[in-house]
Amino acid sequence: MIEVRGSLARNLFLGFALLIGLIIISSLVGVAITLIFYGMDGLAGMTNPDDPKGLAGMKIIQMAYGLGGFGFAGILAMKMAHLQPFNTLKKTGSSPALMIAGFIALTALPLISFTGYLNSQLVLPDFLSGLQDWIEAREEVSQGLILQFLQQSEPIDLVINLIMIAIIPAIGEELFFRGFLQRVFQSRYSAHVSIWLAAAIFSAIHLQFLGFVPRMLLGAIFGYLVFWSGSVWPAIVAHAINNGTAVVISYVYGPEMVERDFEPEISFFFLGGVTLSLVLTIGLLYLYKKREAS
């Protein structure tokens, strides 16, 4: 158990109130920056996927609320719960731990991709057809936005996308979900329950339910990296590598390579690759746990 200031309900309320408020404020800051650099054309162009000013404006807003929303909310929520956010940030973790965390992110990719494929094949019962339609519509909108962001023709586009999609979300989301939320849950529940609760909320808050299971699985992996080491930085590294890999693949081979609606050819070699991914990921997690416990 972790000692915090106040009740679990109080800390959850304050944490999510901060998150919502700071996302709104930081998004408005992003709008202001867009107006300064691109004027009203930057805002008006957001409705046109082919407008470079509109796309730049959306990227600015995305970066603003990724860091200003999740990141600052995580730090302030940790402060209000007496979880010592700056001491948390100072504990960087050892270099081997950071390296192993990065390799875990890479070895888990085939397993996560296959889990995502299985998740996307799930269909709700007929009486929930309205919810199914909403989930699919929401997924289409999210995928469309991601594919817009991943239109990369120059090296500078790759750098900007790595900052926007890999680095900023890794820092901001890990500070909030693992630095604050997971540890607040640990004030009442066991570490395992807390890790999976935080992972489920982490996945649900993205509002992309056709990828709910793989994202929750990733969140749990990040959670165990934090729990075993006492540092959020291994999770930040793993999160950034997971997201950054998709950005690099998109840059090299085109954004269609990271679309969710792919249908793998289920073969002995494919399943062997997924099994190898599972074995390597579990093995590296065991190595990480053993090393951090010593």
Side-chain angles (χ1 to χ4, degrees), residues 29 48-49 118 131 183 265 271 274 276:
V29 171
N48 180 3
L118 294 177
L131 178 59
R183 293 198 293 162
E265 181 181 345
L271 293 177
V274 173
L276 179 61

Side-chain angles (χ1 to χ4, degrees), residues 27-200:
S27 295
L28 292 175
V29 171
V31 169
I33 295 172
T34 300
L35 286 172
I36 291 171
F37 284 97
Y38 299 104
M40 288 303 298
D41 290 344
L43 296 182
M46 290 182 188
T47 59
N48 180 3
D50 297 321
D51 190 315
K53 290 183 178 179
L55 182 60
M58 286 194 292
K59 289 186 176 184
I60 290 171
I61 295 171
Q62 180 83 9
M63 287 188 278
Y65 86 71
L67 190 58
F70 286 97
F72 286 170
I75 290 173
L76 290 175
M78 279 190 275
K79 183 73 173 176
M80 297 179 74
H82 283 196
L83 285 171
Q84 301 178 322
F86 298 109
N87 287 342
T88 300
L89 288 170
K90 286 179 184 177
K91 189 173 182 181
T92 58
S94 64
S95 296
L98 297 175
M99 290 179 61
I100 295 171
F103 281 119
I104 288 171
L106 292 173
T107 59
L109 283 172
L111 174 65
I112 297 299
S113 296
F114 182 58
T115 307
Y117 166 71
L118 294 177
N119 190 166
S120 67
Q121 302 306 300
L122 296 177
V123 179
L124 296 176
D126 290 341
F127 70 91
L128 292 175
S129 59
L131 178 59
Q132 179 81 33
D133 292 341
W134 178 84
I135 289 174
E136 291 177 355
R138 173 66 194 174
E139 190 71 24
E140 186 174 341
V141 170
S142 298
Q143 281 295 106
L145 182 60
I146 291 170
L147 291 177
Q148 276 184 260
F149 286 156
L150 291 177
Q151 297 296 328
Q152 309 169 100
S153 57
E154 302 293 337
I156 187 63
D157 297 324
L158 173 62
V159 173
I160 291 172
N161 278 346
L162 284 172
I163 294 171
M164 178 187 68
I165 296 174
I167 297 174
I168 288 179
I171 295 172
E173 292 177 10
E174 291 311 309
L175 285 175
F176 186 82
F177 290 104
R178 255 61 66 177
F180 164 67
L181 189 61
Q182 177 175 306
R183 293 198 293 162
V184 160
F185 278 134
Q186 282 183 258
S187 68
R188 176 174 295 183
Y189 305 115
S190 70
H192 299 296
V193 170
S194 300
I195 287 168
W196 286 97
L197 278 174

